[in-house]
Amino acid sequence: MSDALLSVRDLVVEFPTRKGILTAVDRVSFDIARGEVLGVVGESGAGKSMTGSAIIGLIEPPGHIAGGTISIAGQRIDNLPYEAMRRVRGKRIGMVFQDPLTSLNPIYTIAEQLIETIRTHMDLNERQARDRAIGLLDQVGIPAASRRIDDYPHQFSGGMRQRVVIALALCVEPELIIADEPTTALDVSVQSQIIDVLKRMCADHGTAIMLITHDMGVIAEAADRVVVMYAGRVAEIGAVRDVIKDAKHPYTKGLMGSIPTLMQDSDRLTQIPGTMPRLTDIPPGCAFSKRCPEAFDRCFVEQPDCRPYQGRDVACLLYDEGKPQ
Amino acid sequence: MLAFIIRRLVQSVVVMLVVSLIAFVMFRFIGDPVDQMVGLETTVQERELLRQQLGLNDALPLQFWHFVSKAAQGDLGISYQFKRPVADLIGSRLPATLELSFVSALFALLMGIPMGVYTALNRESVLSKLFLTISLIGISLPTFLIGILLIFVFSVYLQWLPSFGRGKVVDLGWWSTGFLTVSGLKALILPSITLGLFQMTLIMRLVRSEMMEVLRTDFIKFARARGLTNRAINFGHALKNTMIPVITITGLQMGAIIAFAIITETVFQWPGMGLLFLQAVQNVDIPIMAAYLLLIALLFVIINLIVDLLYVMVDPRIRIEGAEA
Amino acid sequence: MTMDSERLKPPGLWARVFDSDIWYSFTRSKVIMAAAIVTFLIFLGALFAPLIAPHDPFDMASLYLMDSLTPPMWEAGGNPVYPLGTDDQGRDILSAILYGSRISLAVGFASVAFAAILGISLGLLAGYMGGRVDSIIMRIADVQLTFPSILIALLIDGSVRSVFGGIDREQSAFYVLVFSIGLSFWVQYARTVRSSTLVEKDKEYVQAARLIGLHPLRIMASHVLPNVMGPVLVIATINLALAIITEATLSFLGVGIPSTQPSLGTLIRIGNDFLFSGEWWIAAFPGAALAILVLAVNLLGDWLRDALNPRLR
């Protein structure tokens, strides 16, 4: 725990709207160890991207961090002034976005964008930065890197572009990469390639990954541990294999049941009835209570805390001491 | 790219032909050319003879051909009012209008772009609100009202600047310039502010909205996530991307300046083409109207062509073929 | 889980209006509300000009030439009967402003309406028919778009007056102006409507309509028009300010509304001649009225554009 690279404690992100204050992230806590791949999974609107944006300090106003702490290697970063946080970005924490087409500035060559980033954080001259950039492109698997580095983004295919984006995010050796839906915008055939590139690069450079996605299959393939989020709150945290085989939180159980596998012997995929509540309409007590097949009276009144249970962290009153049995 | 240029050239020629057609129709069918040129005492036979001489009884396509070929050689007919060749009249007034338009355009660009950038980057500052108020006034006040206001304040009340005419001009061959004398320069100030104010506010608003759009894009977010400095993001990335659509629209506005000169020239009694055109409209002097139309069309077409070429040069997505996504 | 039928009923129209984001942003901004009130007042003033104006500036018989060039009532030589002074013909400036605003607004609205109807129709036609008709309409639009509206308005005005030389200028000026200003504005509407039409054209309900025997154009119109109302409204408000300015400019240049029944622009033209001789009020007050009117319309248009822009919400 004390060795953790990234430590998020009771993070709260709020949005003032004219209808009241919206809580997009509600007391979320987790750790990421050095070099580990942590998956963050949940439906759209569950707060996963918002958590990622909060960590790197890029929440769009009027949203803001309203509580909790974020620390990297023991040092708090959620309350840093702008310039100090800017130096953290890129150098210590990098981010990869969903759509490679719009992530790159169309009017600059790849070389210009890479060299600029490298020289912002490292004291290298133009030639050295360029060599480093070419090396990175090689590593992510761009063929003929020394030629293609002078091309423009639109001259690359989708998969190649995302590789470039990964190179850009990793070019000054951050300790953590936040990957927000890195494969969602790509062809299925390309998706696993990109996950491989991401994993390989991070293993080679010793970088941890926070892999945000709604696709449980990607988590199963790539992550070591997983955080399951629901309606801005954490439902369950645990090792990926454990969570898949033996989910504890009723929501997670529903989620696992909805993944098609060759092993499964059923006619229909499990569906969780109803939909995740909008952030303006979260019911009192447990957010999942209205859809939960195992809910009991306390669930509609008390909001469960995320507590350790059999090597996991679960936010469910079923695993609370004192639950009726 | 070559195909693009050729296509644009062809388009320009087509536009010119269409405009020539309109000018020809005006010339030939609005009012009667012969009646305009002769006195009341001329007999019917003499008019018929004149008709024949002017080629007014030839087949229409032939007349059109004559019209176009003569125009291309600079023969634009004889003015009904002044009984002088239209080409001479326009030629003597062209420098005045062009100089005025040029200075106005410069004013609009040099003030509008920085103001636009400033208000986009500092949305809440007092100065921004001031600029936006000025812009609202600039768009709301008709050009002539601004001119009258300026004259009233600076000529009538303060008596600092002249209220009409070009001041002393120097003849350089066929061109007469007001740039080389103090009185000439002083005379340029009020008219060019009047003419340029509307354009300046348009440019400022355009730059502002485009820049705000760009600042919301994913690649700017990614640039921030890479820890680039504010200066690099705002000016290196955001501004450069903003300039591309701004160039196009600004270029087109330059043409509008030349046309709006009509109003300014009227208010300040500036001896330019616009004033000539207005008198022609009031006195139904068709040759001048038609010639003015042709000249304006030519200027616009040339400006549009230059703008398109600039656009191609500046945006690599058009210049270079992209890859299959 | 029970179905909460009360909660699921859609809210009524008034509830939607007052709960909407548009109303919210409207009431939030004092400036906008002020602009709306001012516009409304001017509008009322113009509408009821005959009832509230102290004099009728268009009735030649009621003008006293001896009262001409009276200064505003707070200056020496002023007369409370003519609160803002009179012009060279003895017309009361205040009344002239009221009547003049009427004309300016009338020309503005009429030309925008004309442009909108023309543009929407041509846009629908171009989008629906495609092919040659589409090309022709769009070429004309492109050519016209390269010229600023003032030029087009001037040319049409000049041509019309030359062709119909004998017509009474005073009666026809209004219609000629509406026609020429409107004609210079139709392109933007046409383009917007055309692109919406192109999107709708390929949809299946159009084929279905054809099969049933309903004219697809009518069906498309009923689908395209509601979608397009937002952008059209935005274009219209921008155009309204521009139309008012254009009319004022044309009148100022002497080719607009004649001086017997002057609009604000005409009044300013008349007053311009007297600026140097000291009778500043003839140009100043109509000028201020014009500026305020256009400013208010622009503010409303700006606000409407921001409010209707989904991306800014």
Side-chain angles (χ1 to χ4, degrees), chain A residues 17-57:
Chain A
T17 67
R18 65 183 178 92
K19 292 204 170 112
I21 296 192
L22 213 109
T23 310
V25 176
D26 192 354
R27 289 183 304 132
V28 165
S29 306
F30 57 85
D31 287 338
I32 306 183
R34 286 190 187 282
E36 141 174 79
V37 179
L38 179 75
V40 179
V41 75
E43 304 170 42
S44 300
K48 348 182 266 296
S49 298
M50 200 57 66
T51 308
S53 300
I55 294 174
I56 200 169

CSV table of all heavy atoms in Angstrom, one decimal, chain A residues 17-57:
chain,number,residue,atom,x,y,z
A,17,THR,N,-24.6,22.6,-11.6
A,17,THR,CA,-25.5,22.8,-12.7
A,17,THR,C,-26.6,23.7,-12.1
A,17,THR,O,-26.8,23.8,-10.9
A,17,THR,CB,-26.1,21.6,-13.3
A,17,THR,OG1,-27.0,21.0,-12.3
A,17,THR,CG2,-25.0,20.6,-13.7
A,18,ARG,N,-27.5,24.2,-13.0
A,18,ARG,CA,-28.5,25.0,-12.5
A,18,ARG,C,-29.6,24.2,-11.8
A,18,ARG,O,-30.4,24.8,-11.1
A,18,ARG,CB,-29.2,25.8,-13.7
A,18,ARG,CG,-29.9,25.0,-14.7
A,18,ARG,CD,-30.4,25.9,-15.8
A,18,ARG,NE,-31.0,25.2,-16.8
A,18,ARG,CZ,-32.3,25.0,-16.9
A,18,ARG,NH1,-33.1,25.4,-15.9
A,18,ARG,NH2,-32.9,24.3,-17.8
A,19,LYS,N,-29.5,22.9,-11.9
A,19,LYS,CA,-30.5,22.1,-11.2
A,19,LYS,C,-29.9,21.6,-9.9
A,19,LYS,O,-30.5,20.7,-9.2
A,19,LYS,CB,-30.9,20.9,-12.0
A,19,LYS,CG,-31.7,21.3,-13.2
A,19,LYS,CD,-32.6,20.2,-13.7
A,19,LYS,CE,-33.6,20.7,-14.8
A,19,LYS,NZ,-33.3,20.2,-16.1
A,20,GLY,N,-28.7,22.0,-9.5
A,20,GLY,CA,-28.1,21.5,-8.3
A,20,GLY,C,-26.7,21.0,-8.6
A,20,GLY,O,-26.2,21.1,-9.7
A,21,ILE,N,-26.1,20.5,-7.6
A,21,ILE,CA,-24.7,20.0,-7.8
A,21,ILE,C,-24.7,18.5,-8.2
A,21,ILE,O,-25.3,17.7,-7.5
A,21,ILE,CB,-23.9,20.2,-6.5
A,21,ILE,CG1,-23.8,21.6,-6.2
A,21,ILE,CG2,-22.5,19.6,-6.6
A,21,ILE,CD1,-22.8,22.0,-5.1
A,22,LEU,N,-24.0,18.2,-9.2
A,22,LEU,CA,-23.9,16.9,-9.7
A,22,LEU,C,-22.6,16.2,-9.2
A,22,LEU,O,-21.6,16.8,-9.4
A,22,LEU,CB,-23.9,16.9,-11.2
A,22,LEU,CG,-24.5,15.9,-12.0
A,22,LEU,CD1,-25.7,16.4,-12.7
A,22,LEU,CD2,-23.6,15.4,-13.1
A,23,THR,N,-22.7,15.0,-8.7
A,23,THR,CA,-21.5,14.4,-8.2
A,23,THR,C,-21.1,13.3,-9.2
A,23,THR,O,-21.7,12.3,-9.3
A,23,THR,CB,-21.7,13.7,-6.8
A,23,THR,OG1,-22.3,14.7,-6.0
A,23,THR,CG2,-20.4,13.3,-6.2
A,24,ALA,N,-20.1,13.6,-10.0
A,24,ALA,CA,-19.7,12.7,-11.1
A,24,ALA,C,-18.8,11.6,-10.5
A,24,ALA,O,-18.8,10.5,-11.0
A,24,ALA,CB,-19.0,13.4,-12.2
A,25,VAL,N,-18.0,11.9,-9.5
A,25,VAL,CA,-17.2,10.9,-8.9
A,25,VAL,C,-17.4,11.0,-7.4
A,25,VAL,O,-17.2,12.1,-6.8
A,25,VAL,CB,-15.7,11.1,-9.2
A,25,VAL,CG1,-14.8,10.1,-8.5
A,25,VAL,CG2,-15.5,11.0,-10.7
A,26,ASP,N,-17.8,9.9,-6.7
A,26,ASP,CA,-18.3,10.0,-5.4
A,26,ASP,C,-17.4,9.1,-4.4
A,26,ASP,O,-17.6,7.9,-4.3
A,26,ASP,CB,-19.7,9.5,-5.3
A,26,ASP,CG,-20.4,9.8,-4.0
A,26,ASP,OD1,-19.7,10.3,-3.1
A,26,ASP,OD2,-21.6,9.6,-3.9
A,27,ARG,N,-16.4,9.7,-3.8
A,27,ARG,CA,-15.5,9.1,-2.8
A,27,ARG,C,-14.9,7.8,-3.4
A,27,ARG,O,-15.1,6.7,-2.8
A,27,ARG,CB,-16.3,8.8,-1.6
A,27,ARG,CG,-16.6,10.1,-0.8
A,27,ARG,CD,-17.3,9.9,0.5
A,27,ARG,NE,-18.5,9.1,0.4
A,27,ARG,CZ,-18.8,8.1,1.1
A,27,ARG,NH1,-18.0,7.6,2.1
A,27,ARG,NH2,-19.9,7.4,0.9
A,28,VAL,N,-14.2,8.0,-4.5
A,28,VAL,CA,-13.5,6.8,-5.1
A,28,VAL,C,-12.1,6.7,-4.6
A,28,VAL,O,-11.4,7.6,-4.5
A,28,VAL,CB,-13.5,7.0,-6.6
A,28,VAL,CG1,-12.5,6.1,-7.3
A,28,VAL,CG2,-14.9,6.9,-7.2
A,29,SER,N,-11.7,5.5,-4.2
A,29,SER,CA,-10.4,5.2,-3.7
A,29,SER,C,-9.8,4.0,-4.3
A,29,SER,O,-10.5,2.9,-4.5
A,29,SER,CB,-10.4,5.0,-2.2
A,29,SER,OG,-11.0,6.0,-1.5
A,30,PHE,N,-8.6,4.1,-4.8
A,30,PHE,CA,-7.8,2.9,-5.2
A,30,PHE,C,-6.4,3.2,-5.3
A,30,PHE,O,-6.0,4.4,-5.3
A,30,PHE,CB,-8.4,2.4,-6.6
A,30,PHE,CG,-8.3,3.4,-7.7
A,30,PHE,CD1,-7.1,3.6,-8.5
A,30,PHE,CD2,-9.4,4.2,-8.0
A,30,PHE,CE1,-7.1,4.5,-9.5
A,30,PHE,CE2,-9.4,5.1,-9.0
A,30,PHE,CZ,-8.2,5.3,-9.7
A,31,ASP,N,-5.5,2.2,-5.5
A,31,ASP,CA,-4.1,2.4,-5.7
A,31,ASP,C,-3.7,1.7,-7.0
A,31,ASP,O,-4.3,0.8,-7.5
A,31,ASP,CB,-3.3,1.7,-4.6
A,31,ASP,CG,-3.4,2.4,-3.3
A,31,ASP,OD1,-3.7,3.6,-3.3
A,31,ASP,OD2,-3.2,1.8,-2.2
A,32,ILE,N,-2.6,2.3,-7.5
A,32,ILE,CA,-1.9,1.6,-8.7
A,32,ILE,C,-0.5,1.4,-8.3
A,32,ILE,O,0.2,2.3,-7.9
A,32,ILE,CB,-2.0,2.4,-10.0
A,32,ILE,CG1,-3.5,2.8,-10.3
A,32,ILE,CG2,-1.4,1.6,-11.1
A,32,ILE,CD1,-3.6,3.5,-11.6
A,33,ALA,N,0.0,0.1,-8.4
A,33,ALA,CA,1.4,-0.2,-8.1
A,33,ALA,C,2.3,0.1,-9.3
A,33,ALA,O,1.8,0.2,-10.4
A,33,ALA,CB,1.5,-1.6,-7.6
A,34,ARG,N,3.5,0.2,-9.0
A,34,ARG,CA,4.5,0.5,-10.2
A,34,ARG,C,4.4,-0.6,-11.2
A,34,ARG,O,4.4,-1.8,-10.8
A,34,ARG,CB,5.9,0.6,-9.6
A,34,ARG,CG,6.2,1.8,-8.9
A,34,ARG,CD,7.7,2.0,-8.6
A,34,ARG,NE,7.8,3.2,-7.8
A,34,ARG,CZ,7.7,4.4,-8.2
A,34,ARG,NH1,7.6,4.6,-9.5
A,34,ARG,NH2,7.8,5.5,-7.4
A,35,GLY,N,4.3,-0.3,-12.4
A,35,GLY,CA,4.3,-1.3,-13.5
A,35,GLY,C,3.1,-2.1,-13.6
A,35,GLY,O,2.9,-2.9,-14.5
A,36,GLU,N,2.1,-1.8,-12.8
A,36,GLU,CA,0.9,-2.7,-12.8
A,36,GLU,C,-0.1,-2.1,-13.9
A,36,GLU,O,-0.1,-1.0,-14.2
A,36,GLU,CB,0.2,-2.7,-11.4
A,36,GLU,CG,-1.3,-2.7,-11.4
A,36,GLU,CD,-1.8,-2.8,-10.0
A,36,GLU,OE1,-1.8,-1.8,-9.3
A,36,GLU,OE2,-2.3,-3.9,-9.7
A,37,VAL,N,-1.0,-3.0,-14.4
A,37,VAL,CA,-2.1,-2.6,-15.3
A,37,VAL,C,-3.4,-2.7,-14.5
A,37,VAL,O,-3.8,-3.8,-14.2
A,37,VAL,CB,-2.1,-3.5,-16.5
A,37,VAL,CG1,-3.3,-3.0,-17.4
A,37,VAL,CG2,-0.8,-3.5,-17.3
A,38,LEU,N,-3.9,-1.5,-14.2
A,38,LEU,CA,-5.2,-1.5,-13.5
A,38,LEU,C,-6.3,-1.2,-14.5
A,38,LEU,O,-6.3,-0.1,-15.1
A,38,LEU,CB,-5.1,-0.4,-12.4
A,38,LEU,CG,-6.4,-0.3,-11.6
A,38,LEU,CD1,-6.6,-1.5,-10.6
A,38,LEU,CD2,-6.5,1.0,-10.8
A,39,GLY,N,-7.3,-2.1,-14.5
A,39,GLY,CA,-8.4,-1.8,-15.4
A,39,GLY,C,-9.5,-1.0,-14.6
A,39,GLY,O,-9.7,-1.2,-13.4
A,40,VAL,N,-10.1,-0.1,-15.3
A,40,VAL,CA,-11.3,0.6,-14.7
A,40,VAL,C,-12.4,0.4,-15.6
A,40,VAL,O,-12.4,0.9,-16.7
A,40,VAL,CB,-11.0,2.1,-14.5
A,40,VAL,CG1,-12.2,2.8,-13.9
A,40,VAL,CG2,-9.8,2.3,-13.6
A,41,VAL,N,-13.4,-0.3,-15.1
A,41,VAL,CA,-14.5,-0.7,-16.0
A,41,VAL,C,-15.8,-0.2,-15.5
A,41,VAL,O,-16.0,-0.1,-14.3
A,41,VAL,CB,-14.5,-2.3,-16.2
A,41,VAL,CG1,-15.0,-3.0,-15.0
A,41,VAL,CG2,-15.2,-2.7,-17.5
A,42,GLY,N,-16.8,0.0,-16.4
A,42,GLY,CA,-18.1,0.5,-16.0
A,42,GLY,C,-18.8,1.0,-17.3
A,42,GLY,O,-18.2,1.1,-18.3
A,43,GLU,N,-20.1,1.2,-17.1
A,43,GLU,CA,-20.9,1.7,-18.3
A,43,GLU,C,-20.5,3.2,-18.6
A,43,GLU,O,-19.8,3.8,-17.8
A,43,GLU,CB,-22.4,1.6,-18.0
A,43,GLU,CG,-22.8,0.2,-17.6
A,43,GLU,CD,-24.2,0.2,-17.1
A,43,GLU,OE1,-25.1,0.9,-17.7
A,43,GLU,OE2,-24.5,-0.5,-16.1
A,44,SER,N,-21.0,3.7,-19.7
A,44,SER,CA,-20.9,5.1,-20.0
A,44,SER,C,-21.5,5.9,-18.9
A,44,SER,O,-22.7,5.7,-18.6
A,44,SER,CB,-21.5,5.4,-21.3
A,44,SER,OG,-20.9,4.7,-22.4
A,45,GLY,N,-20.8,6.9,-18.5
A,45,GLY,CA,-21.4,7.8,-17.4
A,45,GLY,C,-21.1,7.3,-16.0
A,45,GLY,O,-21.6,7.9,-15.1
A,46,ALA,N,-20.4,6.2,-15.9
A,46,ALA,CA,-20.1,5.7,-14.5
A,46,ALA,C,-19.0,6.5,-13.8
A,46,ALA,O,-18.8,6.3,-12.7
A,46,ALA,CB,-19.7,4.2,-14.6
A,47,GLY,N,-18.4,7.4,-14.5
A,47,GLY,CA,-17.4,8.2,-13.9
A,47,GLY,C,-15.9,7.8,-14.1
A,47,GLY,O,-15.0,8.4,-13.5
A,48,LYS,N,-15.7,6.8,-15.0
A,48,LYS,CA,-14.3,6.4,-15.2
A,48,LYS,C,-13.5,7.4,-15.8
A,48,LYS,O,-12.3,7.7,-15.4
A,48,LYS,CB,-14.3,5.1,-16.0
A,48,LYS,CG,-15.6,4.4,-16.2
A,48,LYS,CD,-15.4,3.2,-17.0
A,48,LYS,CE,-15.6,3.4,-18.5
A,48,LYS,NZ,-17.0,3.8,-18.8
A,49,SER,N,-13.9,8.0,-16.9
A,49,SER,CA,-13.1,9.0,-17.6
A,49,SER,C,-12.9,10.2,-16.7
A,49,SER,O,-11.8,10.8,-16.7
A,49,SER,CB,-13.8,9.4,-18.9
A,49,SER,OG,-14.0,8.4,-19.8
A,50,MET,N,-13.9,10.5,-16.0
A,50,MET,CA,-13.8,11.7,-15.1
A,50,MET,C,-12.7,11.5,-14.1
A,50,MET,O,-12.0,12.4,-13.8
A,50,MET,CB,-15.2,11.9,-14.4
A,50,MET,CG,-15.4,13.3,-13.9
A,50,MET,SD,-15.2,14.6,-15.1
A,50,MET,CE,-16.6,14.2,-16.1
A,51,THR,N,-12.6,10.2,-13.6
A,51,THR,CA,-11.6,9.9,-12.6
A,51,THR,C,-10.2,10.1,-13.3
A,51,THR,O,-9.3,10.7,-12.7
A,51,THR,CB,-11.7,8.5,-12.1
A,51,THR,OG1,-13.1,8.3,-11.7
A,51,THR,CG2,-10.8,8.2,-11.0
A,52,GLY,N,-10.1,9.6,-14.5
A,52,GLY,CA,-8.9,9.7,-15.2
A,52,GLY,C,-8.5,11.2,-15.4
A,52,GLY,O,-7.4,11.6,-15.2
A,53,SER,N,-9.5,12.0,-15.9
A,53,SER,CA,-9.2,13.4,-16.1
A,53,SER,C,-8.8,14.1,-14.8
A,53,SER,O,-8.0,15.0,-14.8
A,53,SER,CB,-10.5,14.1,-16.6
A,53,SER,OG,-10.8,13.6,-17.9
A,54,ALA,N,-9.4,13.7,-13.7
A,54,ALA,CA,-9.1,14.3,-12.4
A,54,ALA,C,-7.6,14.0,-12.0
A,54,ALA,O,-6.9,14.9,-11.6
A,54,ALA,CB,-10.0,13.8,-11.3
A,55,ILE,N,-7.2,12.8,-12.3
A,55,ILE,CA,-5.8,12.4,-11.9
A,55,ILE,C,-4.8,13.2,-12.7
A,55,ILE,O,-3.8,13.7,-12.1
A,55,ILE,CB,-5.6,10.9,-12.2
A,55,ILE,CG1,-6.5,10.1,-11.2
A,55,ILE,CG2,-4.1,10.6,-12.0
A,55,ILE,CD1,-6.4,8.6,-11.5
A,56,ILE,N,-5.1,13.5,-14.0
A,56,ILE,CA,-4.1,14.2,-14.7
A,56,ILE,C,-4.4,15.7,-14.7
A,56,ILE,O,-3.7,16.5,-15.3
A,56,ILE,CB,-4.1,13.7,-16.2
A,56,ILE,CG1,-2.8,14.1,-16.9
A,56,ILE,CG2,-5.3,14.2,-17.0
A,56,ILE,CD1,-2.5,13.5,-18.2
A,57,GLY,N,-5.4,16.1,-13.9
A,57,GLY,CA,-5.7,17.5,-13.7
A,57,GLY,C,-6.3,18.2,-14.9
A,57,GLY,O,-6.1,19.4,-15.1
